[in-house]
Amino acid sequence: VVLDPLDEVCLNKLKDMANVVYKPQDSQAIEKADVLIVRSTKVGEDTIGRAKNLKVIARAGVGTDNIDLKACEKKKIKVINTPDAPTTSVAELTLGLIICMLRKIIIAHNSMKDKLWKKNELLGNELAEKTLGVIGLGRIGTAVARLAKSFNMNVIAYDPNIKNSEHANLVTFDNLLKNSDIITIHVPLTIETEKMIDGDAIKKMKDGVFLLNLSRGKVVDEDALYQALKTKKIAMAALDVYEKEPYNGKLTDLDNVILTPHIGSNTVEAQRRIGEELVERLKEVFI
Ligand SMILES: NC(=O)c1ccc[n+]([C@@H]2O[C@H](COP(=O)([O-])OP(=O)(O)OC[C@H]3O[C@@H](n4cnc5c(N)ncnc54)[C@H](O)[C@@H]3O)[C@@H](O)[C@H]2O)c1
């Protein structure tokens, strides 16, 4: 049973392997499902309790924080995901947003749409020689660091599980906050990372820092971020993820923020790879 939109090629491959119910309108299909496939739909204890035949929950994407893993463990339901597929897409979007912020591309575009020629007000900055702080140097963080290096950026990173990297100089969390011109977050959502960017962390950042979050919304305290954007302590932020999604909160009122609706892995290529990885992982479980 597939609860969220899925790449067509993947869907067809699944149909060759099994009886597929795509985006069912009622909950009866879930009750009979052997496998549940989701992207962002939450799978809580309720759903898991109702699905009497459930053996596998497959998350088309990286994080499994939308799935109640404890409830799965209790019922011996296997949880699989597709961790490698979105890396390039999220990393490329990150660099795109950094360029948008430093060169004020969205503001420039909007002013042109308003028939205004703001050339003199749109003084930007280069990426070269700026210090980029990467929080979480896993698959995506490393891909971002690699791309940033090709722009001649100085890349530092904080990750308690990584001791050295050819793509970034590893530093402490406080050192990263203090020395970065641009900070980008690529950690999973865990008890340790929830609200790791709060008012205290923001205070330690450089005045006029640029902040990006393409990981999970709850990693950043949105109220603290809102205040810091209002006072311009943070010059500009770019967010792809939010505490509550879909997001329509007060950050939409600010001009110094770029907001995208969780599109990090929304590319033809990533969706295709997610589909392929999903089919392979399901085959490993059942065949
Ligand atoms: N915006 C999107 O559409 C999108 C798409 C894919 C993934 N993501 C998010 O990006 C996150 C990262 O993905 P990934 O594939 O790079 O995961 P990954 O597991 O490869 O890397 C995460 C890294 O974070 C590190 N980490 C864990 N706790 C930390 C902490 N307290 N402080 C600093 N670092 C810490 C880990 O050691 C690891 O190296 C995912 O968990 C997911 O939440 C978002």
Side-chain angles (χ1 to χ4, degrees), residues 90 138-140 158-161 186-188 193 214 216 240 262 264:
V90 182
R139 284 172 291 254
I140 297 170
Y158 167 67
D159 189 318
N161 302 311
H186 301 288
V187 293
T193 62
L214 287 88
R216 284 292 179 265
D240 188 45
H262 203 146

Side-chain angles (χ1 to χ4, degrees), residues 141-170:
T142 302
V144 167
R146 216 184 296 123
L147 291 175
K149 283 260 166 148
S150 70
F151 280 88
N152 275 337
M153 299 186 84
N154 166 36
V155 186
I156 59 176
Y158 167 67
D159 189 318
N161 302 311
I162 307 281
K163 295 293 163 253
N164 49 54
S165 160
E166 57 178 299
H167 304 292
N169 290 331
L170 283 135

Side-chain angles (χ1 to χ4, degrees), residues 4 15 139 156 188 198 228 240 265 276:
D4 293 317
K15 283 178 183 164
R139 284 172 291 254
I156 59 176
D198 58 4
D240 188 45
S265 49
E276 285 165 1

